[in-house]
Amino acid sequence: MPSPWRPTRATGRWRFLADASAALDTSIDYEETLANTVRLAVPEVADYCVVVLVNEDGTTRFADSAHRNPGKHALLERLREYVPPIASPDHPVSRALRTGRPQLVTDVGAQLLKWWDGRRLSIVRALAPVSSIAVPMTARGRTFGAILFAVTTESGRRYGSRDLELATDVGRRAAFAIDHALLYRAAERAARARDELMAVVAHDLKNPLNTIQLALRVLLDGDRPGDAARREMERHALGAVQRAADRMYRLIHDLLEVSSADAGRLWIQTAPVDPEELLREALDAHCSIAAAKGITMEATAEGSLPNVLADRERIAQVFSNLIGNALKFTPDGGRVSVRGRHASPVVRFVVEDTGSGIAPDDQAHVFDRFWQAKKARMGTGLGLSIAKAIVEGHGGTIGVESAPGRGSRFQFSLPIADEASAYAQPGAPGLSEAHHLVSLCR
């Protein structure tokens, strides 16, 4: 004779599935919809329910839970304190995440000692689970997390194959809801990036176009002074046109570089290069600008530097962006230094200035595309983003240290071309002790 709760349970099963499907379709905030689903599951198909999500770095976190008994729910929530929430690789949630397959356990009590230890074991024992189902949330080949359904001694239920089918269906629908929400967020970010791009292009192309228009009016004006004065005005106007055209070219070039980096088509062809040559060329390219501002520039090497694997032209771009920024924000009479240092298995390059510095809140954004510090609208805001893409394309890293009023220190690394050349010859001075001047702007 069937137990009295069976008919109610059958009705509740399908009502739960319908309500859960509706809840998962109502919002792009997938954590909110998962929380609603968990609450719908209890007590219709579970005495308690837990959602575990996978973070971007592959770690897991306790996302939400519900229990039919409010007092027991507080106990269940104490598992949230543990990181990771599920430590044992044998636990059904761990297996569901690892294999991508649902896990039905008809007798949980016999497994508790295998799954839990210490304080967590006492918490789970107090929850008194009898049977459980762990289902992965997987869509398009990606597992977003898992849902654990459990019944306890309070209800006297025990899961079977029909319950497994229902739970698997819920996990699949939840995964689709998460996937759709993430796709929607990605589409929103893409739309915002497009709007930012259009704003930058409109702003940065408008100014040079205005300059060209004004210069052309001067050139086309019929009422002009005599020959010498006219020629001087024409030279000035043509110079303005040239500078405006250069600005437009740089903007278009930077946009194409960013587009290539996004598509994974940023062409980098490396070869062994002497880092002192990179330092010398970088400094020589900016000496005239530094001299015009009365800024002292020098390049030094800490010890004998081994060759690095680098695309010479691309690394010249990196130095150009870093040194160009340093010169922009360093006042007349300031100093910009460029250094190279061996830090096996890389050579680390530093561009340091005595400029205005960067506020702590801004430092996390300096490599974001189109980002520029407040009241510092100079250029496209793409240079540092491109520099980051180039350095990372070489297998290196790039970062910044700064303090307002105390200058900035940008550094990036390039891999050593031949590790055997990374060590000083016997009798040579220590790498950290020997410093020598590579180039100096006079």
Side-chain angles (χ1 to χ4, degrees):
M1 182 174 181
S3 58
W5 56 267
R6 283 289 180 185
T8 304
R9 185 183 176 208
T11 303
R13 284 161 52 95
W14 302 115
R15 182 172 62 245
F16 160 68
L17 186 58
D19 291 345
S21 298
L24 290 167
D25 288 338
T26 56
S27 172
I28 62 167
D29 184 345
Y30 66 84
E31 294 207 29
E32 177 185 334
T33 59
L34 287 175
N36 291 335
T37 303
V38 165
R39 284 157 183 73
L40 288 170
V42 177
E44 294 289 357
V45 297
D47 292 332
Y48 69 82
C49 188
V50 173
V51 174
V52 173
L53 291 178
V54 178
N55 298 317
E56 289 291 335
D57 61 1
T59 59
T60 56
R61 61 187 172 91
F62 190 115
D64 216 310
S65 69
H67 198 293
R68 65 183 300 159
N69 183 331
K72 291 289 183 69
H73 181 248
L75 188 64
L76 182 62
E77 280 288 298
R78 292 178 64 180
L79 291 175
R80 189 185 292 270
E81 302 169 6
Y82 295 90
V83 179
I86 308 295
S88 170
D90 293 324
H91 191 279
V93 168
S94 299
R95 291 203 303 269
L97 292 174
R98 187 171 63 252
T99 65
R101 295 193 297 270
Q103 306 290 319
L104 168 62
V105 182
T106 56
D107 185 4
V108 167
Q111 309 293 327
L112 289 183
L113 285 174
K114 290 174 55 180
W115 298 342
W116 305 100
D117 58 11
R119 183 60 182 151
R120 279 190 279 196
L121 177 60
S122 63
I123 293 173
V124 176
R125 276 179 169 164
L127 293 170
V130 172
S131 183
S132 71
I133 297 173
V135 292
M137 294 181 289
T138 303
R140 295 194 301 139
R142 178 181 174 186
T143 299
F144 299 102
I147 306 176
L148 177 70
F149 301 91
V151 287
T152 69
T153 54
E154 292 185 37
S155 64
R157 292 187 270 184
R158 195 176 294 272
Y159 286 133
S161 59
R162 292 181 61 207
D163 303 289
L164 181 63
E165 292 174 6
L166 176 68
T168 301
D169 197 5
V170 172
R172 183 170 55 251
R173 296 178 191 224
F176 287 141
I178 296 173
D179 190 44
H180 293 162
L182 293 176
L183 287 172
Y184 184 84
R185 292 181 185 178
E188 281 191 321
R189 287 195 297 270
R192 285 196 297 270
R194 180 201 61 205
D195 292 342
E196 290 173 357
L197 172 63
M198 295 304 297
V200 167
V201 170
H203 180 278
D204 287 351
L205 287 182
K206 180 178 66 177
N207 289 342
L209 282 173
N210 286 339
T211 300
I212 291 173
Q213 287 179 329
L214 291 173
L216 288 174
R217 286 179 190 171
V218 171
L219 293 173
L220 296 173
D221 187 1
D223 185 17
R224 292 178 289 184
D227 289 345
R230 184 177 69 229
R231 284 195 296 272
E232 180 60 30
M233 288 179 63
E234 288 175 350
R235 279 196 299 271
H236 181 77
L238 289 171
V241 170
Q242 181 65 57
R243 288 189 295 274
D246 288 344
R247 287 178 59 194
M248 295 170 71
Y249 173 81
R250 284 196 301 272
L251 172 61
I252 294 169
H253 179 268
D254 285 352
L255 291 171
L256 290 174
E257 291 280 74
V258 168
S259 177
S260 295
D262 284 347
R265 297 194 303 267
L266 191 64
W267 182 254
I268 294 175
Q269 189 169 11
T270 62
V273 180
D274 182 350
E276 292 194 12
E277 290 182 13
L278 295 176
L279 291 170
R280 188 177 298 108
E281 291 169 3
L283 207 69
D284 292 347
H286 295 85
C287 275
S288 59
I289 301 173
K293 292 188 66 175
I295 294 174
T296 300
M297 283 188 66
E298 69 174 19
T300 57
E302 298 182 11
S304 179
L305 302 180
N307 286 346
V308 293
L309 278 176
D311 184 320
R312 187 186 292 267
E313 295 301 320
R314 288 296 191 184
I315 296 305
Q317 280 182 268
V318 175
F319 275 119
S320 178
N321 287 328
L322 297 182
I323 296 174
N325 277 352
L327 292 173
K328 284 179 187 176
F329 299 108
T330 298
D332 293 1
R335 188 179 193 86
V336 172
S337 62
V338 186
R339 299 192 301 277
R341 173 174 68 87
H342 172 225
S344 184
V346 300
V347 169
R348 197 168 300 281
F349 298 90
V350 176
V351 176
E352 191 167 11
D353 63 62
T354 58
S356 54
I358 305 169
D361 291 344
D362 291 339
Q363 291 179 34
H365 302 287
V366 294
F367 296 104
D368 294 350
R369 66 189 54 182
F370 305 124
W371 183 89
Q372 296 190 21
K374 298 178 180 66
K375 300 180 182 179
R377 184 74 208 178
M378 301 174 73
T380 64
L382 293 172
L384 291 178
S385 176
I386 292 170
K388 183 174 186 288
I390 292 172
V391 170
E392 291 180 349
H394 280 74
T397 60
I398 188 168
V400 62
E401 299 172 11
S402 185
R406 300 181 63 181
S408 300
R409 184 175 184 266
F410 284 84
Q411 59 179 332
F412 68 93
S413 63
L414 293 176
I416 292 171
D418 178 7
E419 186 63 22
S421 70
Y423 299 96
Q425 297 298 317
L431 295 181
S432 61
E433 299 171 1
H435 295 67
H436 60 275
L437 188 66
V438 174
S439 186
L440 174 67
C441 286
R442 298 184 181 280

